[in-house]
């Protein structure tokens, strides 16, 4: 078959909603786009453990501590699922980790903001994981099979994380005056970074159009952002909190909320590495990687020793 024939077969699969699998022919740009997106997603899960891990020892009760610990463990698992999915595209995990540590690969800008109070654990679960779910549920139908299958479990677990965060915020919002102020302050600080999570406006997004054609993405950045705002504003009203957007108003004609101007200068500044915690996050990840080298070396030595024993036993038989 010629490259043209391979391309036609690929296009036919995409048009007919047939999953692309690792052994299938795919355009180089399709492969590169997936590696960029899946590795960035994996990095976000791993780096995303850091803001919450900071609060495990300071959780207000044993129940809260156990739930938060389980959540952080889930995030680590999500990163491993996604690294595995990306590896099917021909990149190694070590390559992806090196790209993260060097700053070449990005992760979600949201994780470069500090967690100042316990209420931030609620805001992250409710807003950050809520935005993640809005973005990730359509990925269960993404055109690349390993990515889609990994997302099924990720989304199920993220739904628990979102409910956990909302429950924290609801408890605080219905608590003392001080607790309600903590909840409102957390919402004030996390609202705008959360709606930036969906990425730049469609007009300024260089990858959205092609990703939509390849059915890697099912909705544009702005479509997902609007859906998130419509849902989350109503949730905020339910627990008596105020979304920090003076321009927010319901539009009867469109059936959606109109919202204020997003500070995209802040978004790009954080993406470029100048956010409140960018350096701290990368330094923590590099340190963990270096300090964990002995564990990786020991596991590799054990695996090689076990393999040698099996080969010896096979020869003896």
């Amino acid at each position: 078959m010629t490259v043209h024939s391979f391309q036609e077969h690929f296009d036919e699969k995409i048009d007919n909603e047939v999953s692309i699998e690792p052994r299938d022919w795919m355009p180089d740009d399709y492969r590169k786009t997936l590696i960029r997106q899946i590795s960035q997603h994996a990095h976000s899960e791993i780096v995303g453990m850091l803001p919450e891990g900071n609060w495990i020892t300071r959780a207000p009760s044993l129940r809260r501590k156990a739930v938060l610990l389980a959540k952080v463990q889930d995030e680590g698992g999500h990163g491993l699922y996604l690294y595995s999915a990306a590896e099917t595209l021909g990149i190694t995990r070590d390559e992806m980790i090196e790209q993260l540590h060097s700053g070449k690969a990005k992760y979600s800008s949201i994780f470069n903001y500090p967690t100042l109070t316990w209420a931030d654990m609620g805001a992250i679960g409710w807003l950050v994981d809520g935005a993640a779910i809005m973005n990730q549920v359509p990925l269960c139908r993404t055109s690349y099979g390993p990515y889609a299958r990994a997302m099924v479990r990720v989304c199920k677990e993220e739904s628990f994380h979102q409910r956990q965060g909302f429950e924290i915020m609801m408890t605080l919002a219905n608590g003392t005056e001080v607790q309600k102020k903590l909840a409102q302050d957390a919402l004030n600080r996390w609202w705008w970074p959360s709606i930036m999570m969906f990425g730049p406006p469609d007009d300024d997004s260089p990858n959205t159009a092609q990703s939509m054609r390849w059915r890697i993405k099912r909705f544009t950045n702005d479509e997902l952002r609007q859906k998130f705002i419509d849902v989350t504003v109503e949730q905020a009203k339910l627990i008596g909190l105020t979304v920090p957007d003076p321009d927010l108003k319901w539009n009867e004609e469109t059936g959606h909320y109109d919202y204020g101007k997003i500070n995209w200068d802040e978004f790009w500044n954080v993406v470029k590495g100048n956010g409140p915690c960018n350096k701290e996050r990368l330094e923590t990840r590099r340190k963990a990687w270096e300090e964990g080298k002995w564990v990786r070396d020991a596991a590799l030595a054990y695996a090689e020793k076990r393999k040698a024993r099996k080969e010896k036993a096979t020869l003896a038989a």
Side-chain angles (χ1 to χ4, degrees), residues 1 10 13 23 50 62 77 80 83-84 95 102 112 116 139-140 152 184 188 218 242 276 284 305:
M1 292 178 70
F10 172 85
K13 280 192 166 187
R23 293 186 178 182
L50 300 178
L62 183 59
L80 297 182
Y83 282 135
S84 295
E95 287 178 297
S102 69
N112 289 310
L116 305 179
L139 291 175
C140 294
V152 172
Q184 184 62 58
N188 292 347
R218 296 288 177 161
T242 303
T284 301
K305 187 175 181 180

Side-chain angles (χ1 to χ4, degrees), residues 11-23:
D11 292 340
E12 184 179 345
K13 280 192 166 187
I14 294 294
D15 292 341
N16 292 320
E17 301 284 351
V18 177
S19 292
I20 306 299
E21 298 297 339
R23 293 186 178 182

